Structures are given as C-alpha cells and as structure tokens.
Amino acid sequence: MLLMEYQFKHSLVVMGQLAKDTARTPPSENDPPFEYVDRSLTILGRTFDANNQKMQQEFLSQREFIASQFRGVEKKIEEVEKKMDGRFEEVDSRFEEVEKKMDGRFEEVHGRFEEVHGRFEEVHGRFEEVHGRFEELEKKMDGRFEELEKKMDGRFEEVEKKIDGRFQEVDRRFDKQEGDIRDIKVQLENSAAITRNGRLSRMHQPINLIKVLRPTNDPNKFVWASHPQVPKHVKGVYILGQRAKGIFEPRWDRTSNEQKLHAKRRALNTIETLANFHNVVLCSDEESESDATEVILQDWTVDDYMQALLYEWGMDWQKVLGIAEQHVQAQPQQAGAKRAGDASNRGEKKKIRGGRQEESD
C-alpha cells in the first residue's frame, strides 16, 4: 500500500531532463508507481545507449588521430635515412679523391727515384775518369740523399696526418648524425608523452615521463634522462603539491603533526629537485627572467612552481586541482549508491526467507 501511494517527487525533474535529451516522453507524477518506474528505466536505458555511442565515436576519432601521428613519424625517419645516404655518398666520393691524389704523389716519387738511379749510372760511368773526385762527389751525394729522405719523410708524415684528420672528421660526423637521430627520436617521444599527459582526467591515471638533456662527466657528451622522483600518477602530483603547502587530506594522510611536518619538508625538497632538473626558475617582481637563476620555494610560491613544472610535462596544475575536487565530490555519491544497493539486497534476502517460511507452514 505504501508503494502504491508513493509519489516520486525527487526524481521527477531529473527524469524529465533525461527524457528531453533522448526525445522520450517523461513520466508524470500522476502515473502509477510501477508504470513510473518502468518508463524511468526505459529513459535511463536510452540515455546509457546514447552516451555509449558518443563514447564509441570519440574513441574512433582519437584512434585515427594517433595513427596519423605515427604515420608522420615514419615520414621523418625516411627523410633522415635519405640524408644519411647522401652523406655516405659524399664521404665515398671524398675517399676516391684522396686515393687519386695519393696515386699521383706515389707516381711522382717513383719518377724521382728513377731519375736518381740514372744519375748513379752516370756517376758510375765517369768513376774511372774522375776517381780523384769520387770521395767528394760521394759525400755530396750522401748529403743530397739525406736531404731527400728527410723531405720524403716529412711529406709522408704530412700526408698521414691529413688522412688521420679526415678519418677523425668522418668519425665526428657519424657521431653527430647518430646524436641527431637519437635527439629526434626522444623529442618525438616527449611530444607524444606531453600530448597524452594533457588528456589525463582521473586521479589514478599514470603520468608519461618527459626526458631532459643532461650533462655527463664528459663535458662534450649529454644524455636524455627522466627524474626518478616524478610522481607516478595524477593523485601523486596532487598530494605532492598539497603536502608542500601543508595541506593534508584526512582520507590519505592519517599521521601525526610531526610526521606531517617531515612530509611537507620532503615535498618541498622534491619540488625543488624536479624544478632544478627541468631548469624551471621563476623570477620575482624585482628581477628579470635572465637574472633568475635559483629556485626559491616558499609556501606562497608552491602553486606557481607546480604550474610551471607541470607545464613542462604537458599538464596544468589548476586542472589537477579540479580533477581532485571532482574525485572528492564523486566519493559520497558512489558510497550512497553502494549503500542503496546493499539495502536492496538485504530486502530481497528477507523476502526470500519470508516466502520459504510461509511454504514450510
């Protein structure tokens, strides 16, 4: 009797709006309760189906966008391969030029040796005539040979140095090409990670790491690396920023005041470390961007540093705060729905037990 007399005043406005969106006739407060529930379930089913189709269309458009991005990457890789083939051909042609020059120089040296050999024969022919001057001539020839050997040794050393220099230049060019290809690959990965980070909308979604070019022990070499202290999920970013400001959520941070103080210091140190790693420095009102070289992190600058740091990752600090607020608002609704479901299950069980008892009687 209570169910037949009950009027669904609270859900009437909501069901009217849902029926309007799905082009259905809304239930009336004058409808019988079972007919009201039946029509309401129909409207909810139509609403769920419409939302499902909309999500399917958005998924297909996102998949096509990602596929187009990968096709662009393949084109860039083909362009890099063509450039490398051209550089290899240029190196081969330069090697051929060096070989031709070396052949010419060897032929010239060979001709000079033949010329010297002819002079020896001439000296030998005149040896008997000029026996008295042989020793003097021999000394002159020895000196001439020594001078010629020195010149030849110096020339060979010069050619060897030039060849070594060309090989070193080729090695440097190859190293530079490999570094350029690696940089392009990491930059493409960073661009994709920034795009994915910009689409994060839930607290438990993982963050895509961004790599930064960092120096090594060798001043001429740099490596791409990401920092290990970057939070793993959106929730971790939110907790890090809130702890740095001294704000602790009771459902996540059930610790003493002393532990909260240590947690705040750790959060400030983590933000400062990440800001230095990504070269994020904010200038004050009294200095320009070129003068700001040191990270000065205080309670009132945490939001600014979080905004600048998340910008490097493709995210927005205000958006993260909004996601957290939506998550908090959704918790009571989910808990209420769960309690309502539990109560309904308990009612069904009581009905089943009551029916069995009647049958036994």
Side-chain angles (χ1 to χ4, degrees):
M1 293 297 295
L2 292 177
L3 180 60
M4 298 298 293
E5 296 175 359
Y6 184 76
Q7 299 294 325
F8 298 88
K9 298 179 180 180
H10 298 289
S11 62
L12 186 62
V13 177
V14 178
M15 297 309 300
Q17 181 62 38
L18 292 178
K20 184 178 182 181
D21 293 339
T22 56
R24 305 289 297 180
T25 302
S28 174
E29 61 181 355
N30 297 323
D31 291 339
F34 285 108
E35 181 180 353
Y36 181 91
V37 172
D38 186 29
R39 296 178 67 183
S40 299
L41 290 175
T42 302
I43 293 171
L44 289 174
R46 294 292 184 179
T47 303
F48 176 79
D49 184 57
N51 290 335
N52 189 26
Q53 293 179 2
K54 183 178 179 181
M55 291 178 65
Q56 184 69 17
Q57 292 175 356
E58 292 181 354
F59 169 76
L60 293 176
S61 63
Q62 291 296 326
R63 185 177 65 182
E64 178 62 24
F65 173 76
I66 293 172
S68 63
Q69 293 294 318
F70 275 107
R71 287 194 292 270
V73 172
E74 292 177 355
K75 291 182 180 179
K76 290 184 179 180
I77 293 176
E78 289 178 358
E79 293 176 359
V80 172
E81 289 178 349
K82 290 181 180 179
K83 290 183 180 179
M84 288 187 64
D85 292 338
R87 292 295 179 86
F88 278 122
E89 292 176 358
E90 181 181 353
V91 171
D92 291 337
S93 63
R94 292 188 178 180
F95 269 118
E96 290 177 359
E97 293 177 2
V98 171
E99 289 177 354
K100 290 179 181 179
K101 291 181 179 179
M102 289 296 298
D103 293 339
R105 298 301 295 177
F106 277 118
E107 290 177 359
E108 182 181 352
V109 171
H110 182 68
R112 290 187 179 181
F113 271 115
E114 289 181 352
E115 181 182 354
V116 172
H117 183 67
R119 289 184 180 182
F120 268 115
E121 290 180 353
E122 181 182 355
V123 171
H124 181 69
R126 297 179 61 186
F127 178 77
E128 293 180 358
E129 295 181 10
V130 199
H131 181 72
R133 298 177 59 186
F134 179 81
E135 293 182 358
E136 181 181 355
L137 182 60
E138 187 178 3
K139 291 180 181 179
K140 289 182 180 180
M141 291 301 297
D142 290 339
R144 185 65 178 170
F145 274 116
E146 290 178 359
E147 182 181 355
L148 183 61
E149 288 177 356
K150 290 181 181 179
K151 288 183 179 179
M152 293 301 297
D153 292 339
R155 189 61 178 168
F156 276 117
E157 290 178 358
E158 182 180 352
V159 172
E160 289 178 356
K161 289 181 180 179
K162 287 183 179 179
I163 293 176
D164 292 338
R166 296 306 294 272
F167 274 116
Q168 292 176 1
E169 182 180 356
V170 171
D171 291 338
R172 286 195 297 270
R173 290 184 178 180
F174 274 118
D175 293 340
K176 187 177 183 301
Q177 289 289 338
E178 292 178 354
D180 292 342
I181 293 174
R182 182 182 63 251
D183 293 345
I184 291 173
K185 181 180 178 181
V186 175
Q187 289 171 4
L188 291 175
E189 292 175 353
N190 282 347
S191 178
I194 289 173
T195 302
R196 290 194 294 269
N197 287 339
R199 298 172 183 165
L200 299 178
S201 60
R202 292 191 297 273
M203 291 291 283
H204 297 285
Q205 286 183 306
I207 295 175
N208 301 276
L209 296 179
I210 304 299
K211 294 183 179 180
V212 179
L213 199 61
R214 303 294 298 173
T216 61
N217 295 330
D218 186 352
N220 297 322
K221 290 185 179 181
F222 296 85
V223 295
W224 290 94
S226 58
H227 203 279
Q229 294 185 0
V230 175
K232 304 299 182 184
H233 302 83
V234 177
K235 178 181 177 181
V237 173
Y238 172 75
I239 293 176
L240 177 64
Q242 295 297 86
R243 285 182 176 179
K245 293 187 293 184
I247 301 174
F248 293 86
E249 297 288 342
R251 52 207 164 91
W252 292 332
D253 297 299
R254 299 175 180 177
T255 56
S256 63
N257 292 334
E258 183 178 359
Q259 291 174 335
K260 290 180 179 179
L261 180 60
H262 289 302
K264 177 181 179 181
R265 292 174 180 173
R266 287 196 301 271
L268 290 172
N269 291 335
T270 300
I271 296 175
E272 182 176 354
T273 301
L274 294 176
N276 286 320
F277 184 80
H278 288 275
N279 295 323
V280 174
V281 180
L282 300 181
C283 59
S284 62
D285 297 336
E286 294 79 12
E287 59 184 359
S288 61
E289 294 183 1
S290 59
D291 296 333
T293 59
E294 183 180 1
V295 177
I296 302 177
L297 191 59
Q298 302 292 339
D299 291 350
W300 58 87
T301 61
V302 170
D303 287 330
D304 295 334
Y305 269 98
M306 290 298 294
Q307 180 66 28
L309 187 60
L310 265 63
Y311 177 79
E312 298 292 329
W313 303 343
M315 301 172 64
D316 184 83
W317 174 236
Q318 298 301 323
K319 181 180 178 181
V320 171
L321 295 178
I323 293 171
E325 183 177 354
Q326 293 176 2
H327 180 76
V328 172
Q329 293 175 356
Q331 292 297 318
Q333 297 178 2
Q334 295 176 357
K338 183 178 180 182
R339 287 194 297 269
D342 293 341
S344 176
N345 291 333
R346 287 194 297 269
E348 292 293 335
K349 291 179 179 179
K350 288 181 179 179
K351 289 181 180 179
I352 293 173
R353 287 197 296 268
R356 289 178 179 175
Q357 177 128 18
E358 290 176 0
E359 290 177 359
S360 64
D361 294 341

